[in-house]
Amino acid sequence: MTTPAPPPDQTLAFQAHDHSHCCGDLIARAQVIAGERGARLTPVRRRVLEILLEHHRALGAYEVLERLGQDGFGNQPPVAYRALDFLVEQGLAHRVARLNAFIACTHPGQDHSPAFLICRNCQAVAEAPGGGIHAAVETAASLLGFAVERTIIEALGLCPACQEAVE
Amino acid sequence: MTTPAPPPDQTLAFQAHDHSHCCGDLIARAQVIAGERGARLTPVRRRVLEILLEHHRALGAYEVLERLGQDGFGNQPPVAYRALDFLVEQGLAHRVARLNAFIACTHPGQDHSPAFLICRNCQAVAEAPGGGIHAAVETAASLLGFAVERTIIEALGLCPACQEAVE
DNA sequence: CCCTTGACTGTTACTGTATAACATAATTTA
DNA sequence: TAAATTATGTTATACAGTAACAGTCAAGGG
């Protein structure tokens, strides 16, 4: 599974950008992607995706849930978890294991197993191109005869902005 | 993808071996390592490490806690979490984010950020050599100007034995 | 048009994971 | 030995996730 040259939006989370644009754009693409797969982007699901898109950081299910409740949706955990599970299945969002939290996918539609870069200072999360990393995991695993099905790649550290801000 | 002979201890978790030997040995090494770092391997901490070493799989904090209680130690969550946090800080154990669980380090004393191979069938967890993987993560991160401090690398799949057992 | 079907949402109730805060005990240092 | 530090025990609570069931809504078949 090789990854072509990274598209220009890879550093999105770590750069200034027209955020309202990137949100609206991704919602529209999500609508299309879901339609193609015969899945329905219902109001709750759409709202959850919007909530995730309002940030470039991972949100806990209960953070999402609180906003859902404010918007008149159900405010019990399964409401949030079901919508989040749907978005993850459709590749529209990802789960960040380290944070027990969820984040909108910044380039949906492509089949990808992402590598996350998590800033410990500002909590921003970016998706890095993961091709080379996955190849390295495959190599290491095959030495032990292990058959990889899925990988979790998460790096903790400092984003460009916070490297200057923090000592 | 060929499978050359792996180094002897890397596949430990996936092979038959003298388990009582590997436990006693690692406890002794832990004692030394802690001493060198000015840290105290107290009875609770030592017992927690023993509990982890009795398995080659990750144990939840509450599994550890239950055994601690049976041995006359405190049976409230902080007792287990504090001991586990200590072991992780000293490099004597690792946290497996995917499983919200902990596992004894199979080669402590070396400064290493491990890559875990998690069998979804038998729950065994092995540490894979992570050098190449970390290099790949560094490369990907540096393209975005991100400074990596720690990495979480976990692969889910089937260990050699379970590839035969499971269809 | 109504009815059935299946998918989605809402709710209750619960299990599991983790930490804050404070009291007590043991160990080290002065 | 006293003071300071470090570790342990305990209570209480916050955060994460799921099972089970009831109600609702949209789409297709008679």
Side-chain angles (χ1 to χ4, degrees), chain B:
Chain B
M1 198 69 71
T2 58
T3 304
D9 79 331
Q10 294 294 0
T11 61
L12 200 61
F14 295 159
Q15 290 182 341
H17 60 282
D18 181 346
H19 191 64
S20 65
H21 171 71
C22 86
C23 293
D25 201 31
L26 282 167
I27 284 282
R29 287 172 62 189
Q31 195 83 255
V32 172
I33 290 166
E36 284 171 356
R37 303 185 48 165
R40 293 157 52 195
L41 193 63
T42 61
V44 208
R45 293 166 175 177
R46 185 191 169 108
R47 184 71 195 109
V48 169
L49 182 55
E50 286 171 2
I51 291 167
L52 293 181
L53 281 167
E54 284 161 13
H55 306 78
H56 282 298
R57 67 177 186 88
L59 297 182
Y62 282 67
E63 288 182 271
V64 171
L65 184 58
E66 192 183 344
R67 287 157 189 265
L68 275 184
Q70 290 167 4
D71 294 352
F73 294 101
N75 64 341
Q76 297 304 314
V79 175
Y81 280 102
R82 282 191 291 234
L84 289 165
D85 290 346
F86 170 87
L87 295 173
V88 169
E89 271 166 29
Q90 301 302 319
L92 300 172
H94 301 292
R95 187 169 193 283
V96 184
R98 163 72 200 192
L99 304 174
N100 291 330
F102 300 83
I103 189 164
C105 180
T106 48
H107 44 284
Q110 308 165 35
D111 181 37
H112 69 294
S113 167
F116 292 114
L117 307 178
I118 306 168
C119 180
R120 67 163 161 84
N121 189 241
C122 69
Q123 278 76 56
V125 177
E127 286 187 41
I133 303 171
H134 288 97
V137 173
E138 276 294 347
T139 300
S142 66
L143 290 175
L144 309 204
F146 185 89
V148 177
E149 294 174 349
R150 246 163 58 225
T151 57
I152 295 168
I153 313 283
E154 299 175 10
L156 308 172
L158 288 176
C159 73
C162 290
Q163 286 172 49
E164 297 174 15
V166 179
E167 34 77 61

